[in-house]
Structures are given as C-alpha cells and as structure tokens.
Amino acid sequence: QVRLVESGGGSVQTGGSLKLSCTTSGYAFNFCDKAWYRQAPGKERELVSKMTADGSTQYADSVKGRFTISHDATKTTLYLQMDHLNIEDTAVYYCAIGFMVRAACKDYWGQGTRVTVSS
C-alpha cells in the first residue's frame, strides 16, 4: 500500500526558505506525474508545481523563480525547495504522486504539512 509522508513545514520569516519532502513507503515513482499543491486558509487548493513523468516541470505564476520541484535519485522522495517566501505562501502543502494501478495512473496524497510565513 502506497503511503506518502510529508515533512519540512514550519514557521519562517518573509524572505526565508524551507524545503518540503514527500517520501513514499518504498515505492519508486517512475511513470506518472507528481505535484505539490497548497491550500491557504479560506481558499481552494491550488497547484503549486508539477513534474511530469518525463521530468518536465511547471510552476504556478506566483512561485516561479522562487520554488523548485525535484526528486532524489531513487525516485522515492519528492522535494519542494521554497525560497524567498512571502506571507502569501502561508498554507498547508500537499504532495500528490501518481502510481500505476491496473495500467492507469492513480494519485496518492500526503497528509499535508503546514507552512507559515510571517513578517
């Protein structure tokens, strides 16, 4: 059973950095997309960054140039490096990783990690 465990959230001042991690329960993600989402208080969940199966990356306009999505060599941990954080980045961040299930990609979600940015 695939399980995703997130870590790395916390409190930071504006301009600071955090690196989020999303570790699978030993399963390598090879064939499907993976992404980071966030949900700020009172707002809908939004896509922050996405990495397709072929390694292409996409970023929300609000985080371009500040956030970087990556993974480790074993493809069992997904990262989100967040630099130059601002108050608007405050949210609960979720990873979503696709795994092949019966020849189709099925998204699995982490439990969320809270990021709080203050001035």
Side-chain angles (χ1 to χ4, degrees):
Q1 178 72 16
V2 176
R3 192 168 71 95
L4 305 184
V5 178
E6 299 184 37
S7 61
S11 297
V12 65
Q13 291 188 321
T14 54
S17 298
L18 286 172
K19 186 172 185 177
L20 306 183
S21 298
C22 175
T23 302
T24 73
S25 46
Y27 293 88
F29 41 82
N30 289 311
F31 305 109
C32 304
D33 298 348
K34 40 273 179 191
W36 287 94
Y37 290 79
R38 67 185 180 187
Q39 187 165 17
K43 296 187 177 181
E44 293 187 354
R45 189 173 297 188
E46 64 172 350
L47 176 66
V48 175
S49 180
K50 178 180 179 180
M51 180 183 287
T52 61
D54 65 0
S56 300
T57 58
Q58 304 169 22
Y59 295 92
D61 288 343
S62 59
V63 307
K64 277 181 184 175
R66 300 188 298 121
F67 290 12
T68 304
I69 189 172
S70 64
H71 59 74
D72 70 333
T74 64
K75 294 186 179 179
T76 58
T77 301
L78 184 70
Y79 300 109
L80 185 67
Q81 176 68 44
M82 306 186 296
D83 298 317
H84 305 293
L85 286 160
N86 56 54
I87 292 175
E88 290 72 30
D89 297 317
T90 294
V92 177
Y93 285 71
Y94 300 89
C95 60
I97 299 179
F99 290 88
M100 291 296 288
V101 178
R102 298 188 184 92
C105 288
K106 175 184 176 181
D107 280 343
Y108 289 81
W109 290 79
Q111 81 284 1
T113 185
R114 187 175 300 275
V115 172
T116 302
V117 185
S118 59
S119 58

